[in-house]
Amino acid sequence: MNIADRSFILRGEIAYSENENEIKTVSGGYLVCEDGICRGVYESIPEKYAALPVYNYAKQLIVPGMTDLHTHAPQYSFRGIGMDAELLEWLNTYTFPEESLYSDIEYARKAYNYFAEDLRRSFTTRAVVFATIHNEATIELMNMLENTGVVTYVGKVNMDRNGGVNLEEKSAEDSIKATVEWLDAIEGKYENTYPILTPRFIPSCSDELMAEIGKLAESRNLRIQSHLSENKSEIAWAKELVPKATSYANAYELFNNMGTPIRPTIMAHCVYSDEEEIDILKKHGAFIAHCADSNMNLTSGIAPVRKFLDAGLNVGLATDVAAGSSMNMLKTMLITLQASKMYYRLVDTDVKQLTFEEVFFLATLGGGRYFGNVGTFKDGYEFDAIIIDDSKMFSARDMSIRERIERMCYNDADVIIMDKFVKGRQVYGKI
Ligand code: GUN
Ligand code: FE
């Protein structure tokens, strides 16, 4: 359908999270959008919205847009290959050589165009993205993402050590100078594309650089994203590099990189985060970006998401391309479920596997909360929605809405995105 206004009603088979443990479904429901804000789901059209145009999606599914809390745009070019190494070898062999190519703006333009177009067509309505150390290419990426209509945070990466000759800023001072230039160049330029400070991880950033990033975050009121406790060799290295820290998370905390509840830091992975790290993440209101596909591919391990939820931490899901092999959030949901089942079976039977309800919540509202009132269809939430046609998933059985969204997560072979809305604006339409 072609919907130009930001006030309308969609009719269809609607599903959204009521809370972590409950998915609400309404068959033939009416989903109201007023000026880009969701006004709730109804069995019949409320009197006060009677004048709004109604678009009837009949038997198609309508679900909230999904949030990808952590992905790397420059790594999209080698998604799905080079999975034969663990993190540190993988970075040196595949990742850093690829990212060094983004000093060439022509290459960056071509590569980022593919990334942006795939993101536009995906289940993702909000994303938090790493670029590279290169300002020009990062700005080009932000221009393209702004055009997708997807709301994003994008980070020019900071790295002043261990990147090799081609992917290393000369000093902390140079790195900060480039960061400030980047921030100044994009100031006021975008509606839906925000900058985020991006110290890659402790092995890539000197103490001085980390401390300066902490100061910049505070003085410019910026958020931070990074990686935490992904791989055992990485953790051991971080400990050597910041010996005074009591944990990897504490190393970020020492340099004021852990943020605050109003400008929360995103930490990707947290596979090996123990009680101390959980306490630190909680204290700062940080978000954990759970990257199940990536953690399988790089043989990193399984993050104990159930423990994070029990501790009341903010958790969302993330593709982490290219350690994760695609931008597909359904696949990310599936691997999250499977990984949690194996954690329960093989690691700790006291840590129960995640339910489908919980994983649907994490993909929509869990990560969406990083962006404010985002990720469900309750009154007052920003209107991000995906319309899905699964009519080619032939089955002799009649399926409930709940069964159809579970099925599309476990088997997305014939699942087609028909339309996608972000803040009430249609950003993608199949026809
Ligand atoms: N840690 C530091 N950089 C990276 C990266 O690019 N991908 C992953 N998965 N982990 C990292
Ligand atoms: Fe990552």
Side-chain angles (χ1 to χ4, degrees):
M1 277 183 219
N2 207 334
I3 301 172
D5 236 342
R6 284 197 188 201
S7 296
F8 51 80
I9 296 171
L10 307 184
R11 181 175 188 276
E13 304 290 284
I14 300 170
Y16 60 99
S17 285
E18 177 66 23
N19 55 50
E20 275 173 30
N21 299 311
E22 194 187 341
I23 297 174
K24 274 219 166 170
T25 63
V26 184
S27 179
Y30 295 92
L31 172 62
V32 178
C33 176
E34 190 182 42
D35 291 330
I37 301 296
C38 185
R39 289 296 168 215
V41 177
Y42 304 91
E43 308 253 353
S44 57
I45 300 173
E47 189 57 41
K48 65 175 169 175
Y49 300 121
L52 293 179
V54 180
Y55 298 94
N56 189 353
Y57 284 99
K59 289 293 165 200
Q60 292 178 358
L61 294 165
I62 305 177
V63 299
M66 296 182 180
T67 292
D68 185 346
L69 261 195
H70 174 86
T71 194
H72 297 257
Q75 297 175 19
Y76 185 71
S77 296
F78 70 101
R79 69 196 180 286
I81 57 172
M83 297 296 200
D84 52 358
E86 292 190 25
L87 176 66
L88 299 177
E89 187 193 343
W90 178 82
L91 288 172
N92 287 324
T93 310
Y94 304 108
T95 311
F96 292 171
E98 177 68 28
E99 289 194 16
S100 73
L101 301 178
Y102 288 74
S103 59
D104 174 357
I105 191 68
E106 290 308 318
Y107 183 82
R109 214 167 263 147
K110 189 170 167 188
Y112 282 154
N113 192 38
Y114 291 130
F115 173 83
E117 186 49 23
D118 195 2
L119 185 69
R120 195 174 72 84
R121 289 187 275 111
S122 73
F123 288 86
T124 304
T125 47
R126 312 265 169 161
V128 187
V129 182
F130 272 54
T132 63
I133 60 172
H134 311 97
N135 279 12
E136 196 183 2
T138 303
I139 294 169
E140 192 67 32
L141 172 65
M142 295 177 88
N143 294 342
M144 288 180 191
L145 290 175
E146 178 76 2
N147 287 335
T148 64
V150 174
V151 180
T152 59
Y153 281 85
V154 179
K156 168 238 174 301
V157 176
N158 296 96
M159 26 193 324
D160 69 343
R161 67 181 176 193
N162 298 314
V165 278
N166 294 320
L167 198 68
E168 205 174 275
E169 296 169 298
K170 285 195 189 63
S171 63
E173 201 186 340
D174 274 16
S175 180
I176 292 297
K177 186 165 169 276
T179 305
V180 169
E181 283 168 5
W182 163 62
L183 292 169
D184 289 345
I186 53 145
E187 172 101 50
K189 203 170 163 196
Y190 307 114
E191 185 188 341
N192 289 319
T193 315
Y194 308 108
I196 180 167
L197 296 178
T198 305
R200 181 170 211 124
F201 66 159
I202 293 282
S204 295
C205 301
S206 65
D207 292 9
E208 190 189 346
L209 178 53
M210 298 293 291
E212 289 301 320
I213 287 170
K215 284 185 204 156
L216 197 55
E218 211 168 287
S219 67
R220 295 216 180 198
N221 195 23
L222 291 167
R223 299 184 183 196
I224 293 175
Q225 62 176 345
S226 194
H227 295 92
L228 176 64
S229 295
E230 174 178 5
N231 163 291
K232 287 190 172 171
S233 308
E234 170 219 18
I235 294 166
W237 195 14
K239 204 178 172 66
E240 264 173 47
L241 290 166
V242 190
K244 65 183 171 198
T246 54
S247 64
Y248 195 165
N250 177 240
Y252 287 111
E253 198 179 28
L254 288 174
F255 301 117
N256 284 324
N257 275 222
M258 265 295 174
T260 70
I262 50 166
R263 43 176 188 83
T265 290
I266 295 177
M267 283 296 171
H269 304 294
C270 303
V271 173
Y272 295 100
S273 292
D274 58 8
E275 301 309 316
E276 175 179 338
E277 292 208 326
I278 288 173
D279 285 350
I280 291 171
L281 290 159
K282 175 138 193 186
K283 187 168 104 197
H284 291 268
F287 276 68
I288 294 176
H290 174 53
C291 309
D293 186 17
S294 162
N295 296 156
M296 293 284 169
N297 291 331
L298 299 190
T299 331
S300 300
I302 304 173
V305 177
R306 160 76 59 226
K307 285 192 198 170
F308 302 152
L309 294 178
D310 286 350
L313 291 180
N314 298 312
V315 187
L317 302 186
T319 60
D320 194 28
V321 163
S325 60
S326 85
M327 300 242 249
N328 185 345
M329 286 295 291
L330 292 182
K331 185 176 172 193
T332 302
M333 287 170 67
L334 172 58
I335 300 176
T336 298
L337 276 160
Q338 292 175 329
S340 81
K341 291 176 186 184
M342 287 304 108
Y343 192 90
Y344 165 71
R345 176 62 57 213
L346 301 175
V347 183
D348 187 348
T349 50
D350 286 337
V351 180
K352 286 275 176 288
Q353 62 268 49
L354 298 173
T355 62
F356 179 72
E357 274 72 10
E358 287 171 321
V359 172
F360 183 77
F361 168 90
L362 291 174
T364 54
L365 192 49
R369 288 187 302 198
Y370 180 75
F371 290 83
N373 278 342
V374 171
T376 191
F377 289 150
K378 291 185 199 172
D379 186 8
Y381 276 69
E382 295 186 39
F383 191 94
D384 292 5
I386 312 282
I387 318 306
I388 297 155
D389 180 2
D390 65 349
S391 60
K392 297 293 188 292
M393 298 278 293
F394 299 117
S395 169
R397 285 180 61 161
D398 275 338
M399 298 270 175
S400 67
I401 297 172
R402 163 68 175 71
E403 286 171 328
R404 287 167 65 195
I405 57 170
E406 180 179 10
R407 181 179 64 176
M408 82 178 182
C409 165
Y410 276 90
N411 178 353
D412 69 351
D414 292 298
V415 169
I416 301 166
I417 297 174
M418 300 304 290
D419 286 327
K420 168 160 141 177
F421 296 84
V422 182
K423 293 184 178 174
R425 209 175 103 214
Q426 189 177 4
V427 302
Y428 174 73
K430 187 93 188 151
I431 36 174

